[in-house]
Amino acid sequence: LQSALDLSQSAVSRLLSSVRGSDPLATLASIPGPEALHSMLRGAARSRIEADTLAALKAAVADFEHFIAADIGDRGALEALLSEWAQESRPAFEARHKAAAFKAMSALRGVKADLVLNAGIIVPSREAGRFSSIGVDALIGCRRLRPSGVLRTFGSTFVPEGAPYRITSLAGEPVESVADLLLADFSTVDAARIQTTHHDHVMETSIAALPLGAAEPRGHELVWAQLLDGLHRAHRGDGPPTSGVGGQAEPPCELCVVDAWLYDGVWPDAVPELRLFDTVVRGLAHPDDPSRRGDRIEMLESVQSLGRGPLGFRLPEYPRYAELMEALCRRCDIDPARLRGFRAKVRHPLYGSQIGLAFELPA
């Protein structure tokens, strides 16, 4: 068929898939585009297909093009529509459009990262009824795509007066900038190169002069950790029904990973729900805020159980992750064998989206 119709292997594969089944939605989802269909017509004419068959084929292609132009708009709109009506087409649809969005945003922002990692190790707190979290943030493979590109991240260590938690470095010291939290053994960016600007409660971190293009084999790595002492409630009480770990897809990245590691006794029967939010207009969202339900992003990503202990620390996209987690466990006197983990891994996350693992709190 490739030779007779002068089509690529991919076009032939899609053509065969589209005509095998009896479901018209499946046919629409897999049929090649107009260019490939016209190539098929030319190849069929050269192969001396019977005139009546060729005429019927031309009429069918013309009807298909008219249907798209008159009733749908274009092929992209058809694919968006079919992503909900023909569920088997949805994974490829999401992957293709997320990759295109990543490519566009990284070019426009002028910076990108191979991996954005957010992990939380949740352990019992000294205060009854509370759990603490060791928050880990890592930006791996950071580089510029444009000479003017600057890496910027935003965070906050603000704690409302009277709040039952506090945010410090792992040593218990106050935090003025990411430089105070930097894990030097795992970072290739010197603290002196990190610029911090405070806007009320928001802390802006800027890093310029990242590797440009592919001139350097590896992009820069920036890893930091903080202690959020007493941040989580052990039980529901009068507050929201969930608590958990989350992160943001910032800067534009190839992959975003959010890990939650629970120590023995921390929400022992809970299994997290993945919740994705659009933060572009209204900022970070609490997953239980009813006013933010309209900002939920429904995609096919799921939660993976990592099991118990340090064997679950493996992350192929960041070979030093296990070393990092074991170093943090030693520093904070945590037995890694008593941790159970959960992971959300999102490839080409939407820039500006919030990715969270929400655990339902026990009554």
Side-chain angles (χ1 to χ4, degrees), residues 25-238:
L25 290 178
T27 296
L28 287 174
S30 57
I31 198 166
E35 184 178 342
L37 293 178
H38 282 288
S39 295
M40 177 189 68
L41 288 173
R42 293 190 294 270
R46 287 193 300 270
S47 299
R48 295 189 293 277
I49 299 297
E50 296 164 348
D52 290 346
T53 301
L54 187 59
L57 183 59
K58 288 181 178 179
V61 171
D63 285 346
F64 179 52
E65 290 185 299
H66 176 77
F67 163 70
I68 292 177
D71 297 323
I72 305 298
D74 57 34
R75 187 60 187 259
L78 176 65
E79 291 178 350
L81 183 150
L82 291 172
S83 70
E84 294 193 6
W85 285 356
Q87 287 294 321
E88 64 275 10
S89 70
R90 187 169 175 179
F93 168 81
E94 288 190 4
R96 184 166 58 254
H97 286 278
K98 288 194 300 178
F102 159 73
K103 186 175 182 180
M105 287 307 304
S106 58
L108 292 171
R109 289 299 306 270
V111 293
K112 71 171 186 176
D114 293 336
L115 170 68
V116 172
L117 168 69
N118 305 101
I121 307 172
I122 304 176
V123 297
S125 172
R126 293 168 295 182
E127 182 180 347
R130 310 290 301 187
F131 296 140
S132 297
S133 177
I134 298 164
V136 185
D137 296 271
L139 304 178
I140 306 300
C142 300
R143 63 179 69 249
R144 290 176 293 164
L145 298 181
R146 299 165 63 182
S148 61
V150 176
L151 175 67
R152 289 187 173 87
T153 66
F154 298 87
S156 175
T157 56
F158 172 72
V159 177
E161 186 175 352
Y165 65 92
R166 65 192 189 109
I167 302 175
T168 68
S169 69
L170 296 184
E173 300 294 329
V175 178
E176 291 295 327
S177 73
V178 167
D180 298 330
L181 307 172
L182 198 65
L183 300 179
D185 291 344
F186 295 91
S187 300
T188 60
V189 178
D190 187 85
R193 292 182 52 201
I194 300 175
Q195 297 183 346
T196 301
T197 305
H198 292 270
H199 310 280
D200 292 330
H201 304 312
V202 176
M203 186 170 64
E204 177 185 346
T205 300
S206 302
I207 302 173
L210 291 170
L212 181 60
E216 295 185 26
R218 292 175 56 189
H220 281 345
E221 300 183 355
L222 185 68
V223 184
W224 68 95
Q226 58 190 324
L227 174 63
L228 301 98
D229 191 13
L231 177 67
H232 301 283
R233 290 169 292 133
H235 302 91
R236 182 174 301 183
D238 297 328

